[in-house]
Amino acid sequence: GPALCSQERTLVMHWSVFAFVLHRQVIVKIFSEDGMGKVVEIPANMTARDLCQLLVYKSHCVDDNSWALVEHHPLLGLERCLEDHELVVQVQASMNSDGRFLFRKNYAKYEFFRNPLTFFPEHMVAWCQETNHAILPSQLLQNFLATNSCPEIQGHLYMKDVGRKSWKKVYMFLRRSGLYCSTKGTSKEPRHLQLLADLEDSNIFTVITGKKQHGAPTDYGFCIKPNKSRGDMKELRMLCAEDEQSRSCWMTAFRIFKYGIVLYQNYKIPQQRKTLLSHFSAPVRSVSENSLVAMDFSGRIGRVIDNPVEAQSAAMEEGHAWRRTQRMNILGSHSPLHHSSLSSVIHIAQLWFHGRITREESHRIIHQQGQVDGLFLLRVSQSNPKAFVLTLCHHQKIKHFQILPCEEDGQGFFSLDDGATKFTDLIQLVEFYQLNRGVLPCKLKHPCTVVAL
């Protein structure tokens, strides 16, 4: 054909380079909570959501759309969850040498879409103050997501002086255009506003070692880090809120102002996928389940169970039979159950059981996995080695309930309401409180899960 003109040649060359970058494979190392790393080869255009899906299948986790990829900087004491649409390779390129990726649960990633009023208290939203009436949750979200509206978050924050150890309390405003502080009390006049950080070229991080490393006045620190910053402390804007709700409000608003409707699309994608799958006549299985077939061995010849309802009841019966067998193996007879034997076998493999961790460690895990209502774990009690503790999150506060062993007619039980409701083992107890609130402030909804890659 006729020779290409120079402009066309340049265009073809650029597209070739783009196609190469898009299809080349990149090595990424991911760490799990136990500190173990796993090397994964991924395409350069892989998003954080796709990588989480890959890790879910490789690690045989339950895919409940609450897994996240965390950018973690141990030397700076900072971390943040990548947004689902972010390109992993791009984020890796901007990280300094101590930065690493963690694979972790984060139940709070999109919680603000479900309970916006919990995340945006009226006294912090300027629009609510100006309209002077109760705002509907849907109205609040529309205001934040609409590009033609100008929502604003306001309130006092502690700010660390650049290059110093001292912190000062300042009145601040967060808008789409950036984070501002008032140089004169609570004045919003343009001449009294100082731009502290641009949202477009920055990311917001949770400060995980605020008091210890940065001398922060509270435990509710966060930080705005420019994308170009390689870890120079002078470039970090260190901030601190009075409580967890305030910190959540500032950080969530930052994400919404920066990404807008893209966040809502990220939130909707798994739900749309679930709806799409439900339209198939045959049950659709994940990759990790494809090799598993429900079998019925009750007759003389095994048969494959096609009916999904029958398969589920067979699996449940198998679970109950396994539990009965385990008890018989432990006891060797029908003698009363021993708590020490039960605690070492029945619940030890459950995702929500974390063994002998401290109260502080349980707080850390709950904080990391997103403080949503019903987030829980069980652990061995530090004060009473025969007892257990249920650690539960409700209204962004962490509460502890002691589970005590008790005995009736020579039979051993567990109870967390002084024997009013008794359970033969911890699995039964958890299953009950997942369906019934009982004496708890809310039902058990989300198990704190730590997975080894």
Side-chain angles (χ1 to χ4, degrees):
L4 291 170
C5 72
S6 63
Q7 268 187 317
E8 287 174 321
R9 274 200 302 272
T10 308
L11 198 62
V12 168
M13 191 173 71
H14 282 165
W15 271 109
S16 304
V17 171
F18 181 66
F20 170 73
V21 169
L22 225 55
H23 291 101
R24 70 185 171 92
Q25 297 291 105
V26 179
I27 299 295
V28 175
K29 192 167 188 182
I30 316 288
F31 290 84
S32 53
E33 298 290 347
D34 58 7
M36 299 301 286
K38 186 171 195 167
V39 174
V40 186
E41 191 178 25
I42 63 167
N45 63 339
M46 182 171 260
T47 63
R49 184 201 292 279
D50 291 340
L51 180 51
C52 283
Q53 292 265 275
L54 181 69
L55 293 169
V56 160
Y57 292 138
K58 281 182 176 287
S59 308
H60 307 290
C61 313
V62 175
D63 184 10
D64 58 0
N65 298 306
S66 59
W67 291 98
L69 202 61
V70 176
E71 180 186 347
H72 180 70
H73 296 271
L75 294 181
L76 296 171
L78 308 176
E79 64 182 32
R80 75 172 182 104
C81 281
L82 269 67
E83 301 299 349
D84 284 341
H85 66 274
E86 285 189 80
L87 296 180
V88 178
V89 173
Q90 271 186 12
V91 177
Q92 181 171 256
S94 71
M95 284 159 61
N96 54 358
S97 56
D98 84 300
R100 52 169 62 178
F101 288 125
L102 305 177
F103 180 54
R104 181 194 290 164
K105 281 275 189 188
N106 180 12
Y107 291 106
K109 193 161 48 166
Y110 300 118
E111 189 65 17
F112 61 90
F113 283 124
R114 301 178 194 103
N115 303 300
L117 297 181
T118 308
F119 280 77
F120 301 110
E122 285 189 12
H123 70 276
M124 290 184 69
V125 182
W127 178 54
C128 296
Q129 296 294 299
E130 289 154 14
T131 51
N132 230 350
H133 61 83
I135 304 295
L136 293 171
S138 57
Q139 268 185 297
L140 191 64
L141 281 175
Q142 281 169 11
N143 191 45
F144 273 108
L145 292 170
T147 49
N148 60 346
S149 64
C150 305
E152 193 177 88
I153 298 296
Q154 59 189 21
H156 281 99
L157 282 173
Y158 295 100
M159 179 174 70
K160 190 179 184 188
D161 285 330
V162 179
R164 296 182 186 175
K165 290 186 177 179
S166 58
W167 293 72
K168 62 182 177 186
K169 200 170 186 178
V170 185
Y171 202 70
M172 297 204 184
F173 309 95
L174 184 64
R175 300 168 176 170
R176 291 192 205 282
S177 54
L179 178 69
Y180 299 84
C181 75
S182 178
T183 56
K184 189 179 181 183
T186 59
S187 171
K188 287 188 182 182
E189 284 187 46
R191 63 198 174 99
H192 295 145
L193 293 187
Q194 179 189 348
L195 179 66
L196 295 177
D198 185 272
L199 274 62
E200 193 65 37
D201 301 316
S202 309
N203 277 310
I204 197 160
F205 286 77
T206 302
V207 179
I208 48 179
T209 53
K211 279 189 172 179
K212 187 179 177 183
Q213 194 170 343
H214 305 287
T218 76
D219 288 316
Y220 309 107
F222 60 101
C223 166
I224 297 176
K225 177 178 176 285
N227 294 343
K228 66 180 188 304
S229 167
R230 285 284 180 162
D232 185 355
M233 289 300 291
K234 289 177 183 175
E235 293 180 317
L236 305 181
R237 185 60 71 183
M238 305 293 292
L239 302 158
C240 203
E242 290 281 9
D243 52 45
E244 184 57 51
Q245 191 184 37
S246 300
R247 174 167 72 172
S248 294
C249 181
W250 288 103
M251 294 186 72
T252 305
F254 184 102
R255 290 172 60 206
I256 293 178
F257 290 167
K258 181 172 180 177
Y259 296 110
I261 201 70
V262 176
L263 280 192
Y264 187 68
Q265 290 163 349
N266 288 347
Y267 164 60
K268 282 306 220 181
I269 284 169
Q271 297 173 320
Q272 288 162 352
R273 193 179 61 202
K274 202 180 284 181
T275 309
L276 193 68
L277 293 183
S278 67
H279 292 314
F280 287 100
S281 54
V284 179
R285 294 179 174 178
S286 70
V287 175
S288 54
E289 289 177 302
N290 281 343
S291 58
L292 306 176
V293 178
M295 296 289 288
D296 173 16
F297 293 105
S298 55
R300 291 179 66 185
I301 301 168
R303 69 180 178 88
V304 173
I305 301 173
D306 291 319
N307 185 333
V309 178
E310 191 188 346
Q312 192 175 1
S313 64
M316 286 175 71
E317 178 52 40
E318 189 183 329
H320 292 314
W322 176 86
R323 205 184 292 185
R324 286 195 295 272
T325 308
Q326 286 300 330
R327 285 176 183 161
M328 291 301 102
N329 288 347
I330 299 163
L331 305 169
S333 67
H334 292 277
S335 60
L337 298 174
H338 299 288
H339 296 301
S340 57
S341 306
L342 271 174
S343 64
S344 63
V345 176
I346 295 294
H347 56 263
I348 207 158
Q350 297 300 309
L351 296 173
W352 40 255
F353 184 67
H354 288 247
R356 295 183 183 278
I357 63 169
T358 63
R359 187 186 183 97
E360 293 70 31
E361 184 71 2
S362 71
H363 278 236
R364 187 184 67 80
I365 295 169
I366 295 250
H367 273 290
Q368 284 179 343
Q369 301 200 7
Q371 291 171 268
V372 296
D373 284 3
L375 182 60
F376 75 97
L377 62 83
L378 262 73
R379 57 190 174 87
V380 176
S381 170
Q382 287 179 286
S383 56
N384 180 354
K386 291 183 179 178
F388 297 88
V389 176
L390 166 68
T391 300
L392 173 67
C393 185
H394 181 245
H395 287 174
Q396 295 187 323
K397 289 185 172 62
I398 299 169
K399 301 176 182 183
H400 304 272
F401 302 87
Q402 197 156 52
I403 301 167
L404 294 167
C406 54
E407 201 169 294
E408 190 179 278
D409 301 329
Q411 178 78 43
F413 295 101
F414 288 103
S415 177
L416 59 69
D417 56 8
D418 294 326
T421 320
K422 297 184 282 289
F423 306 94
T424 53
D425 58 57
L426 295 182
I427 296 176
Q428 197 181 66
L429 181 145
V430 166
E431 286 172 351
F432 175 84
Y433 287 108
Q434 283 175 323
L435 297 172
N436 311 275
R437 200 180 82 177
V439 294
L440 300 175
C442 62
K443 292 178 192 175
L444 307 182
K445 294 177 189 170
H446 310 291
C448 266
T449 309
V450 174
V451 168
L453 286 170

